[in-house]
Amino acid sequence: MELNNKIKSWPEAAARLIAVAAGREPADLVIKGGKWVNVHSREVLEGYDIAVAEGRFAAIAPDLSSAIGPDTEVIEANGRYMVPGLCDAHMHIESGMLTPAEFAAAVIPHGTTSMFTDPHEIANVLGLEGVRMMHDEALMQPVNIFTQMPSCAPSAPGLETTGFEITPEDVAAAMQWPGIVGLGEMMNFPGVVAGDPKMLAEIAATQNSGKTVGGHYASPDLGAAFRAYVAGGPADDHEGTCEADAIARVRQGMRSMMRLGSAWYDVETQITAVTEKGLDPRNFILCTDDCHSGTLVHDGHMNRVFRHAVDCGAEPLVALQMCTINTATHFGLERELGSITPGRRADLILTSDLATLPVEHVIARGKTVAKDGKLLVECPHYDWPDSARNTVHLGKTLTASDFEITAPEGANSVTARVIGVVENQAPTKALTAELDVTDGLAQPDAAKDIAQIALVERHQGTGGVTNGFVSGFGYKGRMAMGSTVAHDSHHMIVVGTDREMMAACANALGEMGGGISVWKDGAEIAAVPLPIAGLMSDDPAATVAERAGKMVQAMADCGCTLNNAYMQHSLLALVVIPEIRISDLGLVDVTRFELTELFT
């Protein structure tokens, strides 16, 4: 299978690589006098040169002057570390609010040269055609963006309604595409545990293609259910939150993916399996999962995760393996990328410090793509059609009455189930609260930090609104916050303290064609347009990050102090992670995978 249309395969380049390594032909590029960071042997070797030809490493040796010809580009490493380009093993480009092109443009200066992406967000909105568009733009980029075919749309059949459904036939067809490297996270873990034929058919289509099955086991149960899930075929998992989770996965032959995203801080609690328990680090992988544009612009990408792992006690060379060769090995690409060794894609970073990893020079496929934080190459854009830009269908103009929650007849108060947001984690808490009833309607209570939440159907234009309550954001006054990014079905989620504000917010998002809107005291105070599938903007990351920054400030102006509160907002409909969520069909008890009533 041709993995990318912009670089010769190793067999195609072999004759030239041999000639350069043997000293018979000049290289295209020689990097002189650096410290070779070898992730295969886990050592640093001083005083080495690197020769590159046809976008691949040809030779690494103490003196490669023989490979320098009149047209050879020479880069002086000046004693700096020569590190493999960083790999993100599990991520969703859409979470950055950016297209693949603009996401690549944002992360290349941070040293990320390979990404393994699961576009299941767009799959829920546009189906297989949306996945194909993401796949095609990914292959246009100057770095390696591999696509995992989404597995679960809907993620929990019977508990939510998506814009499109992904079928085993879709999965089998996508496995033949040039940039597909495996199956995206298998979120329907109850289906796998129960032997659901559809889920097993998707896994079989992937395994029969010789590709990797991504996992997603969001349950604390490490007993029979976990063993059954592993037996079904998923090869990795990123939903662990504690040391026991990481150990259990590795002991069962899975790779433990530890994530540091914009809102997920799951490295520190799991990496002790390596740093304290002494487990083999080659079975642990670092990833981001979800990073919004502000994090990418201001804090970094995989370089941020690497530094965090080192801060948590990992040896730099071990942490580096976790975001280079371990990832490549996991996806069957160890002979293609992830290390500075002959034949591999010439992806590397020059850095002056191995622990803090300042990214000073980035090379991808043998060409300089960024230097001192500046992007130096073009990241081509796909021509997104109108069908991808017209995806928000409300069916009607919403009013405050659509957000009313009628209490049982004659009640002066109600005991309501409340979604409890947990800071910096994906799971929620299933809470209950006593709420007042006024004019027959159950009321939110700012004093108890309980706001109203509504899921507005936006795929089929049904005009449907599901109402409930949420706690943890700290909102005060008359406000509403809405987004068409609502994992995984990506309807519209509106959280607010005032029904009129919630209706205005929802209507504004409909007129905008998707995105994020924050309202306070009768006016919109921040907006982030996301016109592509209601998920992404094709504007530059810095522009989107500036808008997102104003959105975060607007949430704070409404009383929110939660870290990365927008990421928490976007997950309130994620009906595959416990304990309680909201969908277009009602409140979902994710511990039992069944619908539940709002009032107890």
Side-chain angles (χ1 to χ4, degrees):
M1 181 183 74
E2 182 65 32
L3 288 172
N4 196 282
N5 57 10
K6 285 195 172 184
I7 185 172
K8 288 183 179 179
S9 67
W10 189 343
E12 291 170 336
R16 177 92 191 284
L17 297 176
I18 292 167
V20 171
R24 296 193 297 268
E25 289 188 20
D28 299 330
L29 167 69
V30 171
I31 304 168
K32 291 186 61 63
K35 298 184 181 77
W36 176 23
V37 179
N38 193 312
V39 291
H40 287 280
S41 57
R42 203 191 301 162
E43 60 183 338
V44 178
L45 304 164
E46 295 199 30
Y48 272 73
D49 296 350
I50 297 174
V52 174
E54 305 291 354
R56 296 179 179 273
F57 296 118
I60 304 93
D63 183 6
L64 289 174
S65 300
S66 61
I68 300 175
D71 298 320
T72 302
E73 179 186 3
V74 178
I75 295 175
E76 295 290 346
N78 293 320
R80 287 179 290 180
Y81 295 92
M82 304 181 295
V83 175
L86 304 180
C87 306
D88 192 345
H90 173 73
M91 56 169 286
H92 309 285
I93 285 176
E94 303 99 316
S95 294
M97 308 180 200
L98 306 169
T99 59
E102 290 302 331
F103 199 101
V107 303
I108 287 171
H110 295 305
T112 300
T113 58
S114 295
M115 291 173 268
F116 295 83
T117 72
D118 178 358
H120 72 221
E121 322 303 353
I122 203 170
N124 279 270
V125 181
L126 293 172
L128 186 63
E129 183 63 13
V131 176
R132 186 192 60 77
M133 294 177 198
M134 295 289 284
H135 165 274
D136 289 356
E137 183 164 293
L139 286 186
M140 297 165 66
Q141 304 314 308
V143 291
N144 315 308
I145 305 181
F146 300 99
T147 302
Q148 294 173 284
M149 176 60 197
S151 60
C152 299
S155 59
L159 297 179
E160 64 179 354
T161 309
T162 57
F164 283 83
E165 181 178 344
I166 293 297
T167 67
E169 292 74 22
D170 290 336
V171 172
M175 287 301 144
Q176 307 309 310
W177 298 356
I180 296 289
V181 76
L183 187 69
E185 55 183 304
M186 178 51 72
M187 293 177 288
N188 186 3
F189 59 89
V192 175
V193 172
D196 178 83
K198 179 183 175 184
M199 297 299 97
L200 297 189
E202 291 185 2
I203 292 173
T206 306
Q207 292 177 320
N208 289 336
S209 299
K211 296 177 182 177
T212 304
V213 178
H216 171 116
Y217 183 78
S219 170
D221 182 356
L222 297 177
F226 175 65
R227 294 193 296 272
Y229 183 72
V230 178
D236 56 63
D237 189 65
H238 58 275
E239 288 296 334
T241 59
C242 63
E243 181 184 273
D245 289 339
I247 290 173
R249 283 150 175 77
V250 169
R251 283 178 176 168
Q252 294 292 328
M254 301 177 90
R255 260 53 181 249
S256 172
M257 290 187 176
M258 303 175 294
R259 62 186 173 183
L260 178 72
S262 291
W264 320 139
Y265 288 69
D266 297 321
V267 175
E268 185 173 8
T269 54
Q270 296 185 89
I271 204 165
T272 52
V274 173
T275 59
E276 295 179 12
K277 293 296 191 293
L279 271 63
D280 186 347
R282 284 300 305 275
N283 294 306
F284 293 80
I285 292 172
L286 296 172
C287 67
T288 64
D289 199 355
D290 295 297
C291 274
H292 63 62
S293 54
T295 300
L296 300 179
V297 170
H298 302 300
D299 301 325
H301 189 231
M302 284 305 299
N303 56 333
R304 170 176 174 260
V305 187
F306 167 85
R307 289 193 299 265
H308 178 67
V310 172
D311 290 342
C312 291
E315 295 179 12
L317 288 177
V318 171
L320 191 61
Q321 286 180 315
M322 291 179 181
C323 50
T324 58
I325 190 63
N326 292 9
T327 303
T329 299
H330 178 60
F331 288 102
L333 293 169
E334 185 175 319
R335 306 259 317 151
E336 186 67 20
L337 48 88
S339 67
I340 301 174
T341 44
R344 279 69 171 181
R345 298 186 185 193
D347 304 331
L348 66 88
I349 298 166
L350 292 178
T351 180
S352 54
D353 186 80
L354 200 55
T356 60
L357 205 70
V359 179
E360 296 155 0
H361 195 135
V362 185
I363 293 170
R365 303 177 194 166
K367 297 185 182 299
T368 295
V369 291
K371 198 171 182 180
D372 298 324
K374 302 295 183 183
L375 181 72
L376 299 178
V377 292
E378 179 187 359
C379 294
H381 281 237
Y382 181 80
D383 185 13
W384 293 87
D386 290 342
S387 61
R389 296 178 180 271
N390 181 26
T391 64
V392 181
H393 310 289
L394 300 184
K396 66 178 184 179
T397 299
L398 297 169
T399 66
S401 62
D402 290 302
F403 299 90
E404 294 178 349
I405 300 178
T406 303
E409 188 172 354
N412 294 318
S413 66
V414 292
T415 301
R417 290 185 171 87
V418 179
I419 301 171
V421 172
V422 181
E423 189 168 31
N424 291 331
Q425 288 194 359
T428 61
K429 293 293 185 184
L431 308 176
T432 58
E434 292 290 325
L435 298 176
D436 292 337
V437 174
T438 305
D439 297 329
L441 303 179
Q443 304 294 330
D445 190 336
K448 295 179 180 178
D449 186 19
I450 296 175
Q452 194 169 323
I453 181 173
L455 185 143
V456 180
E457 200 282 333
R458 69 110 162 170
H459 296 311
Q460 308 301 331
T462 66
V465 180
T466 304
N467 289 295
F469 296 101
V470 65
S471 175
F473 289 108
Y475 290 132
K476 296 176 176 62
R478 295 179 61 238
M479 59 75 59
M481 153 81 182
S483 172
T484 53
V485 178
H487 306 269
D488 276 327
S489 56
H490 295 292
H491 290 289
M492 182 189 297
I493 289 285
V494 184
V495 172
T497 60
D498 181 274
R499 290 186 287 273
E500 289 185 356
M501 291 296 90
M502 294 175 76
C505 180
N507 291 327
L509 286 171
E511 294 173 8
M512 190 191 303
I516 308 160
S517 180
V518 184
W519 285 66
K520 185 176 188 291
D521 295 331
E524 185 179 63
I525 60 173
V528 184
L530 301 174
I532 298 176
L535 303 173
M536 299 176 291
S537 169
D538 48 3
D539 287 333
T543 301
V544 178
E546 182 181 3
R547 293 173 185 152
K550 293 177 180 177
M551 173 263 293
V552 171
Q553 182 58 51
M555 294 174 73
D557 292 343
C558 293
C560 183
T561 59
L562 199 65
N563 180 53
N564 279 304
Y566 169 70
M567 296 296 286
Q568 302 288 1
H569 179 107
S570 71
L571 295 186
L572 292 170
L574 187 52
V575 295
V576 291
I577 295 184
E579 295 176 339
I580 187 170
R581 306 281 165 167
I582 192 169
S583 86
D584 62 303
L585 302 181
L587 277 187
V588 180
D589 181 338
V590 189
T591 61
R592 299 182 179 180
F593 271 82
E594 63 185 24
L595 296 171
T596 189
E597 295 297 322
L598 175 59
F599 300 126
T600 63

